[in-house]
Amino acid sequence: MADVAIAGGGIIGLSIAFELASRGASVRVYDSAEPARAASWAAAGMLAPLTERLADDAMQALCEASLRRYPAFASAIANAGGVDPYLSLDGILHTAYDDASLERLAARGAALEAAGHRATLLERAETLLAEPALGKHVRGALLVEGEGQIDNRRLGRALAAACRARGVRIHTGIEHLRIECDARRVLGVRSSAGYDPAGAIVNAAGAWAAQLEGVPQNCVPTVRPVKGQMLAIEIPKGFMRHTIWVPGGYLVPRRDGRLLVGATVEEAGYDARVTSGGIASLLRAALDAAPALSAFSVSETWAGLRPGTPDERPYVCATPLHGYYLAAGHYRNGILLAPETATLVAGMVEGAAAGPPSFTLERFSTKARSA
Ligand SMILES: Cc1cc2nc3c(=O)[nH]c(=O)nc-3n(C[C@H](O)[C@H](O)[C@H](O)COP(=O)(O)OP(=O)(O)OC[C@H]3O[C@@H](n4cnc5c(N)ncnc54)[C@H](O)[C@@H]3O)c2cc1C
């Protein structure tokens, strides 16, 4: 297999690196900062293809396929690098605080069951038994089984360790990364670290994917940053157990005692500042749903840039430039989509697979739109 260079060491780039190195490729990752410290660090780590509103059936199928891969993916990473990324698939609880919302949840539960998933509608008493810290005004909840979360910051560390154990070279603090190519194919990457030839190059540069230099214009994806702010509250062990969707936000309990509260969705360019308005809206959602949280301290606030695309579907594809691949634009589901993206891209680089049509560059071409 060709020597592979990966631009961007977020969870997408590292997952591809790990998969390719596990298949025997020689892989180098180039990151302008530290690996897995951008959107992949800022995320909530929910693995929720049934909970998230997704673009369409193709995106739904991609997300569900990736969730199915997660247990094997997480244990392969933990075994290779020695860091457990704390995968937990014990369901996501959707709460309702009035009758109309509970009726909508009941209909959603019935639709999920009809599609072969498991979802259980809980009355108020059952909801409070499952999560006693919720406000007593909760009306009920829907437990969507099989979904869950992974500690994405641990996953970043686990992937970096697993990649290094497989011989992947991770170059950090890289400046002026540029792809070198001729009229037909990629030749290598040039950067502050010098020139390295490469037979295949993967653009996994997240919200910066459109800015990678050196490639022809018809290989540039349309990706923009979509800001998300979050905060963490320190809670006693066991105070909240499930990942919980509440009106206006979500609550994600971590094993280290932090309860993550997320997230805003803002068109703010590359501005990743935390704002008082953003934090106020998150606290309002959390405290309205669970007033008991008001006793605990806020330990951290942060913001990250999701890589958004015009149709909320990622690019996971080859390009007109031979040897150049895109794995970018995973928007709200990049943590969830890491294992499936890695498998698809590794298949393309090996020459075994073309990749699904819904995630190509060509889907935005005039011809594709008028077909
Ligand atoms: C607040 C928030 C909550 C989220 N919650 C969830 C969730 O619950 N579940 C879920 O599945 N997803 C979630 N996401 C989305 C998820 O975080 C992203 O889709 C995912 O992290 C994208 O990964 P990535 O590797 O493509 O990008 P990133 O993690 O952003 O990594 C891109 C990397 O490329 C590097 N880079 C950029 N340009 C260059 C260059 N020119 N040269 C070299 N390196 C470069 C950057 O330094 C960075 O390390 C959330 C995102 C946010 C912001």
Side-chain angles (χ1 to χ4, degrees):
M1 206 194 300
D3 275 12
V4 186
I6 299 179
I11 277 177
I12 295 296
L14 292 177
S15 299
I16 295 166
F18 178 68
E19 179 66 28
L20 279 164
S22 300
R23 297 185 188 196
S26 160
V27 185
R28 296 181 304 272
V29 174
Y30 300 82
D31 200 290
S32 47
E34 289 294 312
R37 290 286 301 185
S40 299
W41 181 87
M46 286 180 295
L47 307 176
L50 308 174
T51 290
E52 284 278 349
R53 257 184 308 110
L54 298 170
D56 58 13
D57 289 350
M59 183 64 175
Q60 187 74 45
L62 191 78
C63 288
E64 289 185 30
S66 208
L67 181 61
R68 284 193 294 276
R69 285 192 191 279
Y70 241 101
F73 173 71
S75 67
I77 290 161
N79 290 338
V83 181
D84 180 349
Y86 291 170
L87 173 67
S88 141
L89 295 176
D90 53 0
I92 293 187
L93 204 61
H94 298 236
T95 54
Y97 286 79
D98 56 50
D99 289 346
S101 305
L102 190 60
E103 267 171 40
R104 279 197 295 277
L105 285 183
R108 176 75 182 135
L112 285 171
E113 290 270 341
H117 304 289
R118 287 190 312 165
T120 312
L121 196 66
L122 307 179
E123 282 298 329
R124 174 184 284 121
E126 295 167 313
T127 305
L128 289 170
L129 202 62
E131 289 295 347
L134 289 174
K136 302 287 174 278
H137 57 304
V138 71
R139 180 66 192 80
L142 182 70
L143 178 64
V144 179
E145 296 181 33
E147 296 190 315
Q149 56 143 312
I150 193 156
D151 184 331
N152 44 289
R153 294 184 185 176
R154 285 185 71 89
L155 178 61
R157 291 200 297 279
L159 268 167
C163 279
R164 289 188 174 108
R166 288 276 189 275
V168 174
R169 274 175 295 152
I170 303 176
H171 299 282
T172 59
I174 289 293
E175 290 175 15
H176 313 301
L177 188 69
R178 185 181 170 82
I179 289 162
E180 302 268 316
C181 57
D182 63 19
R184 282 194 51 250
R185 59 164 307 120
V186 298
L187 302 171
V189 294
R190 192 174 294 283
S191 71
S192 51
Y195 177 73
D196 291 318
I201 299 174
V202 183
N203 177 344
W208 301 266
Q211 296 169 11
L212 200 57
E213 290 184 13
V215 291
Q217 196 54 38
N218 65 345
C219 296
V220 177
T222 306
V223 178
R224 70 180 198 289
V226 183
K227 176 174 166 179
Q229 302 188 48
M230 293 192 56
L231 60 86
I233 298 175
E234 292 300 315
I235 54 171
K237 202 169 165 46
F239 191 76
M240 267 185 186
R241 303 161 200 161
H242 295 87
T243 298
I244 308 175
W245 277 52
V246 299
Y250 52 74
L251 311 172
V252 183
R254 290 285 199 246
R255 292 191 203 179
D256 63 8
R258 289 177 312 141
L259 179 73
L260 312 190
V261 182
T264 66
V265 180
E266 302 166 66
E267 299 287 347
Y270 287 95
D271 170 1
R273 284 174 306 148
V274 172
T275 63
S276 51
I279 295 308
S281 71
L282 296 174
L283 282 175
R284 208 173 301 124
L287 298 182
D288 283 353
L293 288 173
S294 63
F296 305 119
S297 55
V298 172
S299 58
E300 194 187 346
T301 60
W302 67 94
L305 301 174
R306 306 173 182 91
T309 63
D311 62 2
E312 301 190 358
R313 292 185 290 186
Y315 295 89
V316 183
C317 59
T319 70
L321 182 65
H322 192 73
Y324 185 54
Y325 303 89
L326 301 178
H330 291 75
Y331 190 40
R332 295 173 64 110
N333 291 289
I335 309 301
L336 169 62
L337 285 171
E340 185 66 4
T341 301
T343 306
L344 288 170
V345 174
M348 291 174 208
V349 172
E350 276 186 327
S358 301
F359 308 104
T360 59
L361 267 171
E362 289 75 28
R363 71 186 190 266
F364 294 117
S365 72
T366 327
K367 215 166 111 202
R369 279 201 305 273
S370 57

